[in-house]
Amino acid sequence: MTPIPAPPIAWNALLPILVLAGTAMLVLLADLLPPRESKQHLGALALAGIIAALVIALVRWGTDVCGFRDMVRLDGYALFFDIVIAYAAALVVLLSMDYLRRRGAESGEYYALVLFAACGMMLLASAGDLIIVFLGIELMSLSLYVLAGLFKSRRQSSEASMKYFLLGVFASAFLLYGIALLFGAAGSTNFERVAAAAARNPHDTLLLIGVALLLVGFGFKISSVPFHMWAPDVYEGAPTSVTALIATGSKAAAFAALIRFLTTALRPLQPDWTALLWILAALSMTVGNVVAIAQTNLKRMLAYSSIAHVGYMLVGLVAGGPQGTSAILFYLFAYVFTTAGTFGVLTLCERTGGTPEPDGDGAVDVREYAGLGRRSPALAFALTFFLLSLVGIPPLAGFFGKFYLFGAAVRAGYVWLAVIAVLNSAVAAYYYLRVVVYMYMREPEGAAATLAPSFAGGLALAIAFIGIVLLGVMPAPFVELAQVAVAPLLR
Amino acid sequence: MTVPDAWYLGLSAVLFAIGIVGVIVRRNPLVIFMSIELALNAANLALVTFGARLGSPDGQALVFFVMAVAAAEVGVGLAIIVVIFRSRHRLSVDDLSLMRW
């Protein structure tokens, strides 16, 4: 009998993901052990795992490993996103520790699910094969569906979970059918083999239908117009710490997979998808910003603003080339800090007094932020900075993010798209600054409690704050990192 | 008797279309969910057919991944539906209207 040789397994290519998955299982086990009344130690354990994954990603910078029949690739590009995702997950865990206790929803599964979602995100960042894209999206999304419904007694939370689930799975069906058709057209789901097939016969009908279905699936996951309808409801209904994870990590991860898929597998079709993304970018920016003006619920407003930010990032994809692509990476890095910080302030400000009523929402209406500048000057100051960075005021991170994106668009000849983007940024300033006006120039209605952030929450805000100032004051080294990261894609 | 593979692909496309239409027109989350499963299985049929046409086992291997993921989806989805049903005692997506615009 001839022995069957074992296939080589490149564990190296999965190292940060394995660390996260291992930590998640440890958290689930430790959840069964005492102490039962507090779960703070589980949060600390989850945080330790995330920091370990972050350190691994930083140490491995500059290496390039490929494994599992080229399905998983841990190159500079994946490592860059691993770092972004690790930061997002760490900030979310820090924010959750205090928030969940106040809302009475502390549980070990929460931290395990955040870690599993982060695994899925990192898998997306290193995907070199469509089936890994599918698995990564599902691992990330299934964890997030459960997390969105975490507050079981709150009807908005379960409603958000249901809507997110049905629309998310619907999008997955499109994605999967697209993968099946691409497999038929290219004979493989590997990005490089798909690229070879697309170069041979760029206008094969099967290939084009498959690509269109895949883009619908991706459009849902990054919540670009016209596939954005789930975003406001889910952002509003989900626990705010989970909203922060959906807005930062899941968006970064979906973009990671989309950029790699478009720039490597579909490079022969670049003129076609560029024309399509031009329209999606313009629509996302305009619809997101215009509808955001009408919102008084801050979480909903941030949902529409995140749709607009997706539009800005698509501008970078339209521009293409090393400049456009690296600008998206820098923008995402800045966006993770800014958005996590904004939602962080929201978690700290949510009303806590009394019993959590089934339909009651936390303090998310803009009117409840009246007078925050006097009640908690530090929180108001931090929120002002995060909002200014979202507007894109120099010298904060958001300004340079937009500057590089729009600059790349102009240099690539898409002047009109850049003009639309700049006009949209001006519109966006209105609704971001309205919150600042409420905080500093309106008197609070009724007696409002002063807020004291916990140590973990304060630490998260401090990290996010340092992040946006650092990226804004000295963006050059980070832009260089982003350029190094995208270099292997554009060879 | 041999069946040309275009027929399998045609059946797969029809199943996918039925699934998508079902999601759009039906109001019960369970039926919507079943329609989505139908669309996923349409993709499975297409994968197997293409695998057979190319003479490669990859298509069938992919189907196993999809089946595992679909099973996980059923677990999560039914749990969410149970939570909704417990708080409302009715099951229709028209009731999911606490949040709009």
Side-chain angles (χ1 to χ4, degrees):
Chain A
M1 206 168 92
T2 48
I4 301 172
I9 299 179
W11 296 109
N12 268 348
L14 282 179
L15 208 49
I17 300 169
L18 287 175
V19 169
L20 282 186
T23 317
M25 287 173 202
L26 267 184
V27 167
L28 281 178
L29 280 178
D31 191 24
L32 302 171
L33 304 171
R36 286 295 184 87
E37 55 286 349
S38 167
K39 303 286 184 198
Q40 299 286 301
H41 61 292
L42 297 179
L45 183 58
L47 198 60
I50 295 168
I51 293 172
L54 178 65
V55 170
I56 291 172
L58 288 171
V59 168
R60 297 195 64 90
W61 184 260
T63 60
D64 183 345
V65 206
C66 227
F68 302 94
R69 292 172 72 203
D70 292 344
M71 287 172 125
V72 178
R73 191 170 195 125
L74 196 65
D75 50 4
Y77 179 77
L79 286 170
F80 185 92
F81 274 100
D82 284 358
I83 294 168
V84 172
I85 291 160
Y87 265 113
L91 290 174
V92 166
V93 167
L94 277 175
L95 290 169
S96 312
M97 286 165 83
D98 175 53
Y99 174 70
L100 291 179
R101 193 174 41 191
R102 275 189 289 129
R103 300 297 302 251
E106 223 183 359
S107 58
E109 304 91 82
Y110 176 88
Y111 298 111
L113 283 169
V114 170
L115 289 172
F116 282 129
C119 284
M121 293 168 192
M122 289 190 179
L123 202 55
L124 273 175
S126 10
D129 190 290
L130 286 169
I131 205 67
I132 297 293
V133 171
F134 179 69
L135 288 178
I137 279 192
E138 289 300 315
L139 179 55
M140 170 181 92
S141 304
L142 283 173
S143 311
L144 290 177
Y145 303 148
V146 181
L147 284 173
L150 187 75
F151 293 166
K152 289 193 284 287
S153 58
R154 244 187 100 224
R155 282 167 58 185
Q156 266 133 337
S157 182
S158 47
E159 181 174 321
S161 178
M162 184 85 209
K163 284 179 173 168
Y164 194 17
F165 174 77
L166 283 180
L167 289 175
V169 181
F170 190 45
S172 301
F174 276 97
L175 191 82
L176 185 66
Y177 208 75
I179 292 174
L181 294 187
L182 268 187
F183 173 68
S188 166
T189 47
N190 191 284
F191 282 3
E192 271 150 34
R193 307 260 307 267
V194 171
R200 270 198 309 276
N201 190 359
H203 291 106
D204 180 28
T205 323
L206 210 51
L207 184 82
L208 289 182
I209 301 174
V211 170
L213 290 172
L214 261 169
L215 288 181
V216 170
F218 273 120
F220 264 102
K221 295 297 169 190
I222 61 171
S223 71
S224 97
V225 175
F227 315 110
H228 65 292
M229 284 317 292
W230 60 271
D233 288 357
V234 172
Y235 277 44
E236 183 188 344
T240 310
S241 56
V242 177
T243 309
L245 187 61
I246 295 174
T248 56
S250 84
K251 198 153 283 188
F255 256 104
L258 177 64
I259 296 170
R260 196 196 285 264
F261 174 65
L262 287 180
T263 52
T264 58
L266 291 189
R267 196 180 310 169
L269 293 175
Q270 189 161 18
D272 303 81
W273 55 257
T274 302
L276 190 66
L277 290 185
W278 198 105
I279 300 167
L280 288 187
L283 274 178
S284 299
M285 288 187 284
T286 314
V287 172
N289 279 319
V290 169
V291 185
I293 292 177
Q295 305 298 328
T296 57
N297 182 315
L298 272 188
K299 277 163 92 177
R300 255 186 128 63
M301 184 198 96
L302 287 170
Y304 280 107
S305 106
S306 86
I307 294 166
H309 284 280
V310 167
Y312 301 145
M313 288 185 250
L314 287 176
V315 170
L317 257 178
V318 171
Q323 268 157 350
T325 320
S326 66
I328 307 177
L329 265 63
F330 179 83
Y331 195 90
L332 269 168
F333 203 22
Y335 182 73
V336 161
F337 284 117
T338 319
T339 312
T342 315
F343 281 110
V345 177
L346 257 60
T347 60
L348 295 172
C349 290
E350 270 192 30
R351 192 172 38 218
T352 52
T355 50
E357 60 270 66
D359 285 337
D361 43 355
V364 284
D365 192 285
V366 66
R367 285 186 292 276
E368 303 194 37
Y369 284 77
L372 189 72
R374 213 162 311 150
R375 281 184 283 142
S376 356
L379 278 185
F381 180 74
L383 185 56
T384 308
F385 262 74
F386 293 132
L387 290 172
L388 287 179
S389 175
L390 282 174
V391 178
I393 305 276
L396 295 173
F399 168 74
F400 285 101
K402 286 207 171 91
F403 177 75
Y404 291 126
L405 274 179
F406 302 166
V410 170
R411 237 168 283 138
Y414 296 96
V415 179
W416 276 109
L417 195 59
V419 169
I420 298 174
V422 171
L423 287 178
N424 264 297
S425 305
V427 172
Y430 168 74
Y431 60 83
Y432 289 128
L433 294 179
R434 188 177 54 185
V435 183
V436 179
V437 167
Y438 265 93
M439 284 195 298
Y440 285 104
M441 296 173 194
R442 296 280 172 91
E443 291 302 319
E445 298 160 7
T450 50
L451 303 151
S454 67
F455 173 71
L459 183 63
L461 289 190
I463 293 172
F465 190 80
I466 294 169
I468 63 165
V469 172
L470 195 65
L471 285 174
V473 172
M474 36 178 278
F478 298 98
V479 172
E480 233 163 76
L481 283 185
Q483 274 167 351
V484 172
V486 296
L489 296 191
L490 303 166
R491 259 197 306 255
Chain B
M1 191 184 101
T2 56
V3 181
D5 60 357
W7 289 30
Y8 290 105
L9 292 179
L11 176 63
S12 149
V14 169
L15 283 177
F16 186 71
I18 294 174
I20 299 307
V21 171
V23 172
I24 293 166
V25 302
R26 298 305 292 263
R27 285 278 149 275
N28 184 319
L30 275 174
V31 181
I32 293 179
F33 192 31
M34 277 167 55
S35 307
I36 293 170
E37 291 291 316
L38 199 59
L40 288 181
N41 280 318
N44 280 348
L45 182 57
L47 281 171
V48 173
T49 313
F50 284 128
R53 180 199 275 182
L54 299 162
S56 103
D58 285 2
Q60 291 172 49
L62 298 188
V63 169
F64 281 109
F65 282 100
V66 177
M67 277 159 68
V69 167
E73 268 174 4
V74 170
V76 170
L78 291 183
I80 295 171
I81 291 174
V82 167
V83 170
I84 292 267
F85 185 72
R86 276 200 191 144
S87 68
R88 287 162 212 251
H89 304 290
R90 267 186 61 189
L91 213 49
S92 165
V93 283
D94 293 330
D95 292 348
L96 301 177
S97 56
L98 281 174
M99 297 174 287
R100 280 206 181 153
W101 279 96

